[in-house]
Amino acid sequence: MCRTKKSGLFLGVLVFLVMAAGYAHAHLPVVDLGGFSFPVGSSVRLTAGLAEPLVTMVYSRELLLARGYAGDPGVANLSGAVFYADGEKALLDQAVFTPVNLTDPANVNPASADADVAVFKVEKPGTVAVAMRLDFNSGTRPTVAFGKTFVNRAADGVANRRLGGDDVLEVVFTDDDASVAVKPGDTVNAQVFLRGKPLANAEVSATYDGAPRHADSEEPDNNEYLHADTNAEGKVAFVVDRTANWVIGVEYVDESHDPQNPAYAPSKGVRYRGTIFFPVTAEGK
């Protein structure tokens, strides 16, 4: 169940349905680098895709197109970016990504790929933020998916910045960067922004890699573990209770926003998805 921007009586009905049916966010964008610490000069393999159950890659750009999930005619655009502490950014355009089948590596058919990979080099010290963006035509409205992760995280403010621009949904850490290592029992604080503005009353999930499926989930593969709504400032907090790789994610439909997409006339808004992928370690702070 994703939150839709509405008002009045319908909002009350929607809240009732959410309480009755439980939460469910589908196919969130995830960036996985295979680790969270790499020396300067290292080559890093970026794996990007839509994941469900979290954190299992399910859809590549190519698979969305092959299955007709990106409209008719199909439209799906994938890009990435690497952000450094000094403000420099390296763009990864669609051409550098290669479709892969993580479940069946011997299957090299792009139409069967469950993820896309790209390789980049860590060029500078300090926190390195790595992001992916996947835009595709879907159903009655387009989808904009934005996910990110961090390597070599340090107290330099990178993890506390908006990096995706003003036309995505983005989750941003709000914790002081001095406490960059998270251990079980810590509270992780974040803020959700929609097109650059704090997003209030958004349903947010936090889950760890390998979490069991929720019995009340509306989707058979959904394994979201913790849930909370953002406050008036778009802020949310989760207590992470175990060592694992975690995702904080949100899906939100803004029916009032017209993306000026010619495939959707009249507009029925935009579906947004956003995530942060991060580790919880036994060592902690």
Side-chain angles (χ1 to χ4, degrees):
M1 180 75 67
C2 63
R3 180 63 57 84
T4 302
K5 186 176 182 180
K6 287 187 176 291
S7 61
L9 177 60
F10 183 83
L11 180 58
V13 175
L14 178 63
V15 171
F16 172 79
L17 290 175
V18 168
M19 293 176 64
Y23 293 72
H25 295 152
H27 303 119
L28 292 172
V30 173
V31 179
D32 186 358
L33 306 179
F36 299 94
S37 178
F38 298 92
V40 174
S42 298
S43 291
V44 181
R45 185 176 188 256
L46 182 169
T47 302
L50 299 182
E52 181 79 18
L54 295 170
V55 184
T56 300
M57 301 297 185
V58 177
Y59 286 110
S60 66
R61 167 185 170 271
E62 292 74 15
L63 186 55
L64 288 171
L65 289 165
R67 293 194 176 175
Y69 296 160
D72 183 17
V75 176
N77 300 308
L78 174 65
S79 61
V82 182
F83 302 85
Y84 293 99
D86 63 1
E88 186 170 330
K89 177 172 68 173
L91 298 178
L92 304 172
D93 63 27
Q94 190 165 286
V96 305
F97 283 90
T98 301
V100 298
N101 191 318
L102 301 175
T103 305
D104 181 11
N107 185 348
V108 296
N109 181 0
S112 301
D114 49 23
D116 287 280
V117 300
V119 177
F120 70 93
K121 182 179 289 187
V122 176
E123 301 284 359
K124 298 186 177 187
T127 304
V128 181
V130 185
M132 63 85 80
R133 175 172 172 170
L134 179 60
D135 295 55
F136 58 100
N137 288 352
S138 57
T140 59
R141 57 179 66 89
T143 294
V144 177
F146 179 79
K148 63 185 179 183
T149 190
F150 302 97
V151 298
N152 304 337
R153 190 175 170 194
D156 50 23
V158 174
N160 306 123
R161 302 174 192 163
R162 285 196 306 112
L163 301 172
D166 291 338
D167 57 348
V168 300
L169 185 154
E170 184 170 2
V171 183
V172 177
F173 287 130
T174 60
D175 291 316
D176 183 348
D177 260 349
S179 56
V180 294
V182 183
K183 70 179 186 303
D186 284 349
T187 298
V188 177
N189 297 288
Q191 190 170 16
V192 178
F193 293 88
L194 176 63
R195 300 192 303 274
K197 305 294 184 182
L199 180 61
N201 301 316
E203 298 160 9
V204 185
S205 66
T207 196
Y208 61 91
D209 196 4
R213 183 179 71 84
H214 270 269
D216 61 352
S217 172
E218 297 173 356
E219 301 183 19
D221 292 330
N222 184 274
N223 66 337
E224 291 166 359
Y225 184 59
L226 305 174
H227 304 94
D229 286 358
T230 57
N231 66 13
E233 298 177 326
K235 294 181 178 180
V236 68
F238 294 99
V239 177
V240 293
D241 62 359
R242 66 197 65 207
T243 299
N245 293 334
W246 284 72
V247 168
I248 294 177
V250 57
E251 179 179 64
Y252 183 85
V253 174
D254 186 351
E255 291 186 347
S256 69
H257 182 65
D258 186 351
Q260 302 295 313
N261 186 324
Y264 300 91
S267 170
K268 294 184 179 178
V270 181
R271 175 181 291 105
Y272 293 93
R273 295 169 180 167
T275 64
I276 286 183
F277 185 50
F278 64 100
V280 175
T281 64
E283 294 80 8
K285 302 173 184 177

